[in-house]
Amino acid sequence: MGAKGIILAVEAGICAAMASVSAKLAVSSSSARELAALVCYSVKNIFEHQVEVLSLYEVMLTVRLISVLGIFVFNALMWVLFTKSMHQCSSTLEATTFNLSSNFISTAIVGNLLFGENLNSVWFVGSLFIIVGLTIVHRSSDDITSTKSQQCIEKEQRDKTKTL
């Protein structure tokens, strides 16, 4: 296992979660409105009439446009990191397992913190089964690969002894 590849896969999963957050802000008017109201309130309190506060509609439109841009930026970054992780990890399945796991966990945390989404125990059990299943598949593919490698080495040794 390449530690650098695992870190890249986890980062890619986090970027995928952030792309999902951006998509939700871009298409969900209620989420964008809540964030825009928070921005207007914060600006008003921080600058105290020193700055003309934009209307809620203008801030909401800006939030949604930035979120659309965020979808593309985070997805592009996710693919770059994921591709690099596949080169650094011992297998593409290892990169996929860590990417998916970090995406699930990041999405749950961000969804709860930003949107107040509560996930029930069924979601956690289902996610755990998926992660455990991917881990089992990854481990078994490592076993198959090492067995095939050993068989190739043994065959090469037999071929060498036959030619001598």
Side-chain angles (χ1 to χ4, degrees):
M1 280 198 247
K4 185 175 180 182
I6 291 170
I7 291 169
L8 289 169
V10 169
E11 290 172 346
I14 292 170
C15 285
M18 294 310 297
S20 298
V21 168
S22 296
K24 184 162 185 170
L25 287 172
V27 299
S28 171
S29 61
S30 63
S31 297
R33 185 179 302 111
E34 289 174 17
L35 184 58
L38 179 65
V39 168
C40 286
Y41 178 77
S42 298
V43 167
K44 185 177 178 182
N45 285 336
I46 291 171
F47 295 106
E48 296 181 11
H49 307 299
Q50 297 172 4
V51 143
E52 183 180 326
V53 179
L54 298 172
S55 72
L56 181 62
Y57 175 77
E58 291 169 328
V59 175
M60 190 170 99
L61 183 62
T62 304
V63 165
R64 291 178 97 172
L65 290 173
I66 291 171
S67 296
V68 168
L69 180 65
I71 294 169
F72 293 106
V73 169
F74 283 119
N75 273 314
L77 189 56
M78 183 272 301
W79 278 111
V80 168
L81 292 169
F82 183 62
T83 303
K84 286 183 179 182
S85 74
M86 288 192 293
H87 290 290
Q88 298 287 328
C89 287
S90 61
S91 71
T92 57
L93 189 56
E94 180 180 55
T96 303
T97 302
F98 281 99
N99 182 341
L100 182 67
S101 301
S102 67
N103 187 353
F104 275 178
I105 293 167
S106 300
T107 301
I109 292 169
V110 171
N112 185 276
L113 293 177
L114 290 183
F115 304 114
E117 296 174 352
N118 293 318
L119 301 171
N120 59 21
S121 59
V122 173
W123 184 91
F124 287 102
V125 170
S127 296
L128 181 65
F129 280 146
I130 291 170
I131 292 167
V132 168
L134 284 170
T135 304
I136 290 169
V137 169
H138 170 63
R139 297 288 178 219
S140 66
S141 74
D142 280 352
D143 293 343
I144 290 170
T145 303
S146 65
T147 302
K148 286 188 178 190
S149 296
Q150 185 62 33
Q151 288 173 348
C152 287
I153 291 170
E154 290 171 0
K155 185 177 184 249
E156 285 177 6
Q157 289 173 348
R158 282 192 306 262
D159 290 343
K160 281 183 184 178
T161 56
K162 286 181 183 178
T163 57
L164 294 176

